Amino acid sequence: MNLEEVLNYRRSVRVFDKAKPLDPEKVKHCLELATLAPNSSNMQLWEFYQVTQPELLAKISKACLDQTATSTASEIVVFVTRQDLYRSRARFVLDFERGYVRRNSPRERQEKRIKDRELYYGKLMPFLYARFFGILGFLRVLLTKAIGLFRPIVREVSEGDMRVVVHKSCALAAQTFMIAMANEGYDTCPLEGFDSKQMKKLLKLPHGAGVNMVIACGIRDGNKGIWGERGRVPFNEVYHRV
């Protein structure tokens, strides 16, 4: 299938054929492709949990209110945000950037470019993603308002804003995963109806982790669980050329 065919094939399937299992390695490969999704500053503050064990699948389905999408799924993938890992992920990207500059930049420009990346990933990213009961976010907002009096600046820097940034990046990975699954002829259904507290307990997630999205996976059972024709707001109402 080409991209347009894949996008037309992908539907939110709420009933799967339990007699048609998935190949876990193909699902894993689709998750590898999901890591190619764009994400803010390449921080990659995400984790993916591929659930295949029947007992855990049943428990997670219960945490998802036993929706048919999860109760009939062959596998379930949980996309998790890890803002709490911002320091280690920033160090990883900084180490990568140092190596990239040394391999690809002219020698006379390497020092400045590395210093720029050290400032960005060594100072700025930790400052932006740090949380402390909303206080650090409040200070960041005050700082950006002051600087914004003189020049354009990103203003969404509160602790709530940064949480949104992390979830947006994770959602892009989830969408990439669903497109990759459709390309394999596999079906998915993204869910936001779940008990996040129970989900974190079942997956043994730390306090700083967040559940972004639960995606039920399987192979569609004919047209069951597919809500007929797609209904979309007229394109001319959402498209603006300026």
Side-chain angles (χ1 to χ4, degrees):
M1 290 188 286
N2 61 35
L3 178 58
E4 185 171 351
E5 290 170 335
V6 168
L7 293 175
N8 278 303
Y9 175 81
R10 192 216 62 80
R11 298 293 303 270
S12 293
V13 177
R14 293 167 178 82
V15 177
F16 299 105
D17 189 341
K18 300 197 75 169
K20 296 178 180 177
L22 303 180
D23 181 345
E25 290 304 311
K26 287 186 178 181
V27 177
K28 179 182 177 182
H29 180 61
C30 290
L31 286 168
E32 288 181 304
L33 294 176
T35 66
L36 301 177
N39 64 98
S40 184
S41 294
N42 202 28
M43 288 289 282
Q44 303 170 65
L45 294 169
W46 54 40
E47 288 180 340
F48 316 137
Y49 288 77
Q50 181 184 357
V51 183
T52 60
Q53 300 175 12
E55 184 177 344
L56 185 55
L57 280 169
K59 291 179 180 178
I60 286 182
S61 181
K62 185 176 180 180
C64 292
L65 318 180
D66 269 331
Q67 299 178 60
T68 54
T70 53
S71 64
T72 61
S74 295
E75 299 185 15
I76 293 174
V77 177
V78 183
F79 282 75
V80 173
T81 59
R82 292 303 307 267
Q83 186 173 344
D84 56 323
L85 298 179
Y86 69 91
R87 290 187 184 277
S88 63
R89 298 291 166 87
R91 285 195 298 268
F92 169 83
V93 180
L94 177 56
D95 287 343
F96 171 82
E97 289 290 329
R98 285 191 183 114
Y100 178 82
V101 170
R102 291 186 179 116
R103 290 191 303 273
N104 297 282
S105 292
R107 187 175 298 274
E108 65 274 12
R109 297 185 181 181
Q110 288 183 11
E111 184 177 354
K112 181 183 185 304
R113 289 178 177 177
I114 288 175
K115 283 185 178 179
D116 288 344
R117 285 155 176 81
E118 287 175 342
L119 175 63
Y120 192 79
Y121 288 106
K123 303 293 184 182
L124 182 59
M125 288 299 102
F127 176 63
L128 281 176
Y129 282 99
R131 294 182 290 187
F132 188 72
F133 304 106
I135 297 174
L136 288 177
F138 179 70
L139 293 175
R140 291 195 297 262
V141 170
L142 289 180
L143 181 61
T144 55
K145 283 185 176 180
I147 297 173
L149 293 173
F150 305 98
R151 64 178 178 84
I153 189 171
V154 176
R155 299 172 186 270
E156 290 72 27
V157 294
S158 72
E159 293 188 18
D161 291 331
M162 297 312 297
R163 179 177 180 273
V164 170
V165 168
V166 175
H167 276 271
K168 285 194 295 185
S169 289
C170 192
L172 287 171
Q175 174 68 359
T176 303
F177 167 71
M178 288 186 284
I179 292 172
M181 288 284 280
N183 190 57
E184 292 287 348
Y186 288 171
D187 295 298
T188 55
C189 185
L191 305 172
E192 293 183 293
F194 53 82
D195 187 318
S196 59
K197 184 177 179 179
Q198 286 189 19
M199 193 69 65
K200 290 179 68 172
K201 184 177 180 181
L202 288 169
L203 296 177
K204 299 178 182 178
L205 299 177
H207 175 74
V211 180
N212 172 261
M213 197 177 304
V214 177
I215 299 183
C217 307
I219 295 176
R220 64 185 69 181
D221 187 359
N223 289 322
K224 294 180 182 178
I226 300 176
W227 287 354
E229 298 178 0
R230 274 193 172 112
R232 291 293 185 267
V233 173
F235 186 64
N236 60 4
E237 292 187 22
V238 299
Y239 171 75
H240 306 277
R241 179 178 292 182
V242 296

Coordinates of all heavy atoms in Angstrom, one line a residue, residues 144-207:
T144 N 9.9 34.7 30.8 CA 9.6 34.8 29.3 C 8.7 36.1 29.1 O 8.8 36.7 28.0 CB 8.8 33.6 28.8 OG1 7.7 33.3 29.7 CG2 9.7 32.4 28.9
K145 N 7.9 36.4 30.0 CA 7.1 37.7 29.9 C 8.0 38.9 29.8 O 7.8 39.8 29.0 CB 6.1 37.8 31.0 CG 4.9 36.9 30.9 CD 3.9 37.2 32.0 CE 2.6 36.4 31.7 NZ 1.6 36.7 32.8
A146 N 9.1 38.9 30.6 CA 10.0 40.0 30.6 C 10.8 40.1 29.3 O 10.9 41.1 28.7 CB 11.0 39.9 31.8
I147 N 11.3 38.9 28.9 CA 12.0 38.9 27.6 C 11.1 39.2 26.5 O 11.5 39.9 25.5 CB 12.7 37.5 27.5 CG1 13.7 37.3 28.6 CG2 13.4 37.4 26.1 CD1 14.3 35.9 28.6
G148 N 9.9 38.8 26.6 CA 8.9 39.0 25.5 C 8.5 40.4 25.3 O 7.9 40.8 24.2
L149 N 8.9 41.3 26.2 CA 8.7 42.7 26.0 C 9.6 43.3 24.9 O 9.3 44.3 24.3 CB 8.9 43.5 27.3 CG 7.9 43.2 28.4 CD1 8.4 43.9 29.7 CD2 6.5 43.7 28.0
F150 N 10.7 42.6 24.6 CA 11.7 43.1 23.7 C 11.8 42.3 22.4 O 12.3 42.8 21.4 CB 13.0 43.1 24.4 CG 13.0 43.9 25.7 CD1 12.9 43.3 26.9 CD2 13.0 45.3 25.6 CE1 12.8 44.0 28.1 CE2 13.0 46.1 26.8 CZ 12.9 45.4 28.0
R151 N 11.4 41.0 22.4 CA 11.6 40.1 21.2 C 10.6 38.9 21.3 O 10.2 38.6 22.4 CB 13.0 39.7 21.1 CG 13.5 38.7 22.2 CD 14.9 38.3 21.9 NE 15.5 37.4 23.0 CZ 15.3 36.1 23.1 NH1 14.5 35.5 22.2 NH2 15.9 35.4 24.0
P152 N 10.4 38.3 20.2 CA 9.5 37.1 20.2 C 10.2 36.0 21.0 O 11.4 35.8 21.0 CB 9.4 36.7 18.7 CG 9.7 37.9 18.0 CD 10.7 38.7 18.8
I153 N 9.4 35.2 21.8 CA 9.9 34.2 22.6 C 8.8 33.1 22.8 O 7.6 33.5 22.8 CB 10.4 34.7 24.0 CG1 11.1 33.6 24.7 CG2 9.2 35.3 24.8 CD1 11.8 34.1 26.0
V154 N 9.1 31.9 23.0 CA 8.2 30.9 23.3 C 7.6 31.1 24.7 O 8.4 31.3 25.7 CB 8.8 29.5 23.3 CG1 7.8 28.4 23.7 CG2 9.3 29.1 21.9
R155 N 6.3 31.2 24.9 CA 5.7 31.7 26.1 C 5.1 30.5 26.9 O 4.7 30.7 28.1 CB 4.7 32.7 25.9 CG 5.3 34.0 25.2 CD 4.2 35.0 24.8 NE 4.8 36.1 24.1 CZ 5.3 37.2 24.6 NH1 5.2 37.4 25.9 NH2 5.8 38.2 23.9
E156 N 4.9 29.4 26.3 CA 4.3 28.2 26.9 C 5.3 27.4 27.7 O 5.8 26.4 27.2 CB 3.5 27.4 25.9 CG 2.3 28.0 25.3 CD 2.6 29.1 24.4 OE1 3.7 29.1 23.8 OE2 1.7 30.0 24.2
V157 N 5.7 27.9 28.9 CA 6.8 27.3 29.6 C 6.4 26.9 31.1 O 7.3 26.6 31.9 CB 8.0 28.2 29.6 CG1 8.6 28.4 28.2 CG2 7.7 29.6 30.2
S158 N 5.1 27.1 31.4 CA 4.7 26.7 32.8 C 4.9 25.2 32.9 O 5.1 24.4 31.9 CB 3.3 27.1 33.0 OG 2.4 26.3 32.3
E159 N 4.7 24.7 34.1 CA 4.8 23.2 34.3 C 3.7 22.5 33.6 O 3.9 21.4 33.1 CB 4.9 22.9 35.8 CG 6.2 23.4 36.4 CD 6.4 23.0 37.9 OE1 5.8 22.0 38.3 OE2 7.2 23.6 38.6
G160 N 2.5 23.1 33.6 CA 1.4 22.5 32.8 C 1.7 22.5 31.3 O 1.4 21.5 30.6
D161 N 2.3 23.6 30.8 CA 2.6 23.7 29.4 C 3.6 22.6 29.0 O 3.5 22.0 27.9 CB 3.3 25.1 29.1 CG 2.3 26.2 29.2 OD1 1.1 26.0 29.0 OD2 2.7 27.3 29.5
M162 N 4.6 22.4 29.8 CA 5.7 21.4 29.5 C 5.1 20.0 29.5 O 5.5 19.1 28.8 CB 6.9 21.5 30.4 CG 7.6 22.9 30.3 SD 7.9 23.4 28.6 CE 9.1 22.1 28.1
R163 N 4.1 19.8 30.4 CA 3.5 18.5 30.4 C 2.7 18.2 29.1 O 2.8 17.2 28.5 CB 2.5 18.4 31.6 CG 1.7 17.1 31.6 CD 0.8 17.1 32.9 NE 0.1 15.8 32.9 CZ -1.1 15.6 32.3 NH1 -1.7 16.5 31.6 NH2 -1.7 14.4 32.5
V164 N 2.1 19.3 28.6 CA 1.4 19.2 27.3 C 2.4 18.9 26.2 O 2.2 18.1 25.3 CB 0.7 20.5 27.0 CG1 0.2 20.5 25.5 CG2 -0.5 20.7 27.9
V165 N 3.6 19.5 26.2 CA 4.6 19.3 25.2 C 5.0 17.8 25.2 O 5.1 17.2 24.1 CB 5.9 20.2 25.5 CG1 7.0 19.7 24.6 CG2 5.6 21.6 25.2
V166 N 5.2 17.3 26.3 CA 5.6 15.8 26.4 C 4.5 14.9 25.9 O 4.8 14.0 25.1 CB 6.0 15.5 27.9 CG1 6.2 14.0 28.0 CG2 7.1 16.3 28.4
H167 N 3.3 15.2 26.2 CA 2.2 14.4 25.7 C 2.0 14.6 24.2 O 1.7 13.6 23.5 CB 0.9 14.7 26.5 CG 0.8 14.0 27.8 ND1 0.2 12.8 27.9 CD2 1.2 14.4 29.0 CE1 0.2 12.4 29.1 NE2 0.8 13.3 29.8
K168 N 2.2 15.8 23.7 CA 2.1 15.9 22.2 C 3.1 15.1 21.5 O 2.8 14.4 20.5 CB 2.3 17.4 21.8 CG 1.1 18.3 22.2 CD 1.2 19.6 21.5 CE 2.3 20.5 22.0 NZ 2.3 21.8 21.4
S169 N 4.4 15.1 22.0 CA 5.4 14.3 21.3 C 5.1 12.8 21.4 O 5.3 12.1 20.4 CB 6.8 14.6 22.0 OG 7.3 15.9 21.7
C170 N 4.6 12.4 22.5 CA 4.3 11.0 22.7 C 3.1 10.6 21.8 O 3.1 9.5 21.2 CB 3.9 10.7 24.2 SG 3.8 8.9 24.6
A171 N 2.1 11.5 21.6 CA 1.0 11.2 20.7 C 1.5 11.1 19.3 O 0.9 10.3 18.5 CB 0.0 12.3 20.9
L172 N 2.5 11.9 18.9 CA 3.0 11.8 17.5 C 3.6 10.4 17.3 O 3.5 9.8 16.2 CB 4.1 12.8 17.3 CG 3.6 14.3 17.1 CD1 4.7 15.2 17.1 CD2 2.7 14.4 15.8
A173 N 4.3 9.8 18.3 CA 4.8 8.5 18.2 C 3.7 7.5 18.1 O 3.8 6.5 17.4 CB 5.7 8.2 19.5
A174 N 2.6 7.7 18.9 CA 1.5 6.8 18.9 C 0.9 6.7 17.5 O 0.5 5.7 17.0 CB 0.5 7.1 19.9
Q175 N 0.7 7.9 16.9 CA 0.1 8.0 15.5 C 1.0 7.3 14.5 O 0.6 6.6 13.6 CB -0.1 9.4 15.1 CG -0.6 9.6 13.7 CD -2.0 9.1 13.4 OE1 -2.6 8.5 14.3 NE2 -2.4 9.2 12.2
T176 N 2.3 7.5 14.6 CA 3.3 6.8 13.7 C 3.2 5.3 13.9 O 3.2 4.6 12.9 CB 4.7 7.3 14.0 OG1 4.8 8.7 13.9 CG2 5.7 6.7 13.1
F177 N 3.0 4.9 15.1 CA 2.9 3.4 15.3 C 1.6 2.9 14.7 O 1.6 1.8 14.0 CB 2.8 3.2 16.9 CG 2.3 1.8 17.2 CD1 3.1 0.7 17.0 CD2 1.0 1.6 17.8 CE1 2.7 -0.6 17.4 CE2 0.6 0.3 18.1 CZ 1.4 -0.8 17.9
M178 N 0.5 3.6 14.8 CA -0.7 3.1 14.2 C -0.7 3.1 12.7 O -1.2 2.2 12.0 CB -1.9 4.0 14.7 CG -2.3 3.7 16.1 SD -3.8 4.6 16.7 CE -3.1 6.3 16.8
I179 N 0.0 4.0 12.1 CA 0.2 4.0 10.6 C 1.1 2.8 10.2 O 0.8 2.1 9.2 CB 0.8 5.4 10.1 CG1 -0.2 6.5 10.3 CG2 1.2 5.3 8.7 CD1 0.4 7.9 10.1
A180 N 2.1 2.6 11.0 CA 3.0 1.5 10.7 C 2.2 0.1 10.8 O 2.4 -0.8 10.0 CB 4.2 1.5 11.6
M181 N 1.4 0.0 11.8 CA 0.5 -1.2 12.0 C -0.4 -1.4 10.8 O -0.6 -2.5 10.3 CB -0.2 -1.1 13.3 CG 0.6 -1.2 14.5 SD 1.1 -2.9 14.9 CE -0.4 -3.5 15.6
A182 N -1.0 -0.3 10.3 CA -1.9 -0.4 9.2 C -1.1 -0.9 7.9 O -1.7 -1.6 7.1 CB -2.5 1.0 8.9
N183 N 0.1 -0.4 7.8 CA 0.9 -0.9 6.7 C 1.2 -2.4 6.7 O 1.4 -3.0 5.7 CB 2.2 -0.1 6.7 CG 3.0 -0.3 5.4 OD1 2.5 -0.1 4.3 ND2 4.2 -0.8 5.5
E184 N 1.1 -3.0 7.9 CA 1.3 -4.4 8.1 C 0.0 -5.2 7.9 O -0.1 -6.4 8.0 CB 1.9 -4.7 9.5 CG 3.3 -4.3 9.7 CD 4.3 -5.1 9.0 OE1 3.9 -6.2 8.5 OE2 5.5 -4.7 8.9
G185 N -1.1 -4.4 7.7 CA -2.4 -5.0 7.7 C -3.0 -5.3 9.0 O -4.0 -6.0 9.2
Y186 N -2.4 -4.7 10.1 CA -2.9 -4.8 11.4 C -3.8 -3.6 11.8 O -3.6 -2.5 11.2 CB -1.7 -4.9 12.4 CG -0.9 -6.2 12.4 CD1 0.3 -6.3 13.1 CD2 -1.4 -7.3 11.6 CE1 1.0 -7.5 13.0 CE2 -0.6 -8.5 11.6 CZ 0.6 -8.6 12.3 OH 1.3 -9.7 12.3
D187 N -4.6 -3.8 12.8 CA -5.6 -2.8 13.2 C -5.3 -2.3 14.6 O -4.8 -3.0 15.4 CB -7.0 -3.3 13.0 CG -7.4 -3.6 11.6 OD1 -7.3 -2.7 10.7 OD2 -7.7 -4.8 11.3
T188 N -5.8 -1.1 14.8 CA -5.6 -0.5 16.2 C -6.8 0.3 16.6 O -7.6 0.7 15.7 CB -4.4 0.4 16.1 OG1 -4.5 1.4 15.1 CG2 -3.1 -0.3 15.9
C189 N -6.8 0.6 17.8 CA -7.9 1.5 18.4 C -7.3 2.3 19.5 O -7.0 1.7 20.6 CB -9.1 0.8 18.8 SG -10.5 1.9 19.3
P190 N -7.0 3.6 19.3 CA -6.5 4.4 20.4 C -7.6 4.7 21.5 O -8.7 5.1 21.1 CB -6.0 5.7 19.7 CG -6.9 5.8 18.5 CD -7.3 4.4 18.1
L191 N -7.2 4.6 22.7 CA -8.2 4.8 23.8 C -7.7 5.8 24.8 O -6.6 5.8 25.2 CB -8.5 3.5 24.5 CG -8.9 2.3 23.7 CD1 -8.9 1.0 24.5 CD2 -10.3 2.5 23.1
E192 N -8.6 6.7 25.2 CA -8.4 7.6 26.3 C -9.2 7.2 27.6 O -9.1 7.9 28.6 CB -8.6 9.0 25.9 CG -7.6 9.5 24.9 CD -7.8 10.9 24.5 OE1 -8.8 11.3 23.9 OE2 -6.9 11.7 24.9
G193 N -10.1 6.3 27.4 CA -11.0 5.9 28.5 C -10.4 4.8 29.3 O -10.5 3.6 29.0
F194 N -9.6 5.1 30.4 CA -9.0 4.2 31.2 C -8.7 4.8 32.6 O -8.7 6.0 32.7 CB -7.7 3.7 30.6 CG -6.7 4.7 30.2 CD1 -5.8 5.3 31.1 CD2 -6.6 5.2 28.9 CE1 -5.0 6.3 30.8 CE2 -5.8 6.2 28.5 CZ -4.9 6.8 29.4
D195 N -8.5 3.9 33.6 CA -8.1 4.3 34.9 C -6.6 4.4 35.0 O -5.9 3.4 35.1 CB -8.6 3.3 35.9 CG -8.5 3.7 37.4 OD1 -7.4 4.3 37.7 OD2 -9.4 3.5 38.2
S196 N -6.1 5.6 34.9 CA -4.7 5.8 34.9 C -3.9 5.3 36.1 O -2.8 4.9 36.0 CB -4.3 7.3 34.6 OG -4.9 8.1 35.7
K197 N -4.6 5.5 37.2 CA -4.0 5.0 38.5 C -3.8 3.5 38.4 O -2.7 2.9 38.8 CB -4.8 5.4 39.7 CG -4.2 5.0 41.0 CD -5.0 5.5 42.2 CE -4.4 5.1 43.5 NZ -5.2 5.6 44.7
Q198 N -4.8 2.8 38.0 CA -4.7 1.3 37.9 C -3.7 0.9 36.8 O -2.9 0.0 37.0 CB -6.1 0.7 37.6 CG -7.0 0.7 38.7 CD -8.3 -0.2 38.4 OE1 -8.3 -1.0 37.5 NE2 -9.3 0.1 39.2
M199 N -3.7 1.7 35.7 CA -2.8 1.3 34.6 C -1.3 1.5 35.1 O -0.5 0.6 34.8 CB -3.0 2.3 33.5 CG -2.3 1.9 32.2 SD -3.0 0.4 31.5 CE -4.7 0.9 31.1
K200 N -1.0 2.5 35.8 CA 0.4 2.7 36.3 C 0.8 1.6 37.3 O 1.9 1.2 37.3 CB 0.5 4.1 37.0 CG 0.4 5.3 36.0 CD 0.5 6.6 36.7 CE 1.9 6.9 37.2 NZ 2.0 8.2 37.7
K201 N -0.2 1.2 38.1 CA 0.1 0.1 39.0 C 0.3 -1.2 38.3 O 1.3 -1.9 38.7 CB -1.1 0.0 40.0 CG -0.9 -1.1 41.1 CD -2.0 -1.1 42.1 CE -1.8 -2.1 43.2 NZ -2.9 -2.2 44.1
L202 N -0.5 -1.5 37.3 CA -0.3 -2.8 36.6 C 1.0 -2.8 35.8 O 1.7 -3.9 35.7 CB -1.5 -2.9 35.6 CG -2.8 -3.2 36.2 CD1 -3.9 -3.1 35.1 CD2 -2.8 -4.6 36.8
L203 N 1.5 -1.7 35.3 CA 2.7 -1.6 34.5 C 3.9 -1.3 35.4 O 5.1 -1.2 34.9 CB 2.6 -0.6 33.4 CG 1.6 -0.9 32.3 CD1 1.5 0.2 31.3 CD2 1.9 -2.3 31.7
K204 N 3.7 -1.1 36.7 CA 4.7 -0.8 37.7 C 5.5 0.5 37.3 O 6.7 0.5 37.3 CB 5.6 -2.0 37.9 CG 4.9 -3.2 38.4 CD 5.9 -4.4 38.5 CE 5.1 -5.7 39.0 NZ 6.0 -6.8 39.1
L205 N 4.7 1.5 36.9 CA 5.3 2.7 36.5 C 5.7 3.6 37.7 O 4.9 3.6 38.7 CB 4.4 3.5 35.6 CG 4.0 2.8 34.3 CD1 3.0 3.7 33.5 CD2 5.2 2.5 33.4
P206 N 6.7 4.4 37.6 CA 7.1 5.3 38.7 C 6.1 6.5 38.8 O 5.4 6.7 37.8 CB 8.5 5.7 38.4 CG 8.6 5.6 36.9 CD 7.7 4.4 36.5
H207 N 6.2 7.2 39.9 CA 5.3 8.3 40.1 C 5.4 9.4 39.0 O 4.3 9.9 38.6 CB 5.6 9.0 41.5 CG 4.8 10.2 41.7 ND1 3.4 10.2 42.0 CD2 5.1 11.5 41.7 CE1 3.0 11.4 42.2 NE2 4.0 12.2 42.0

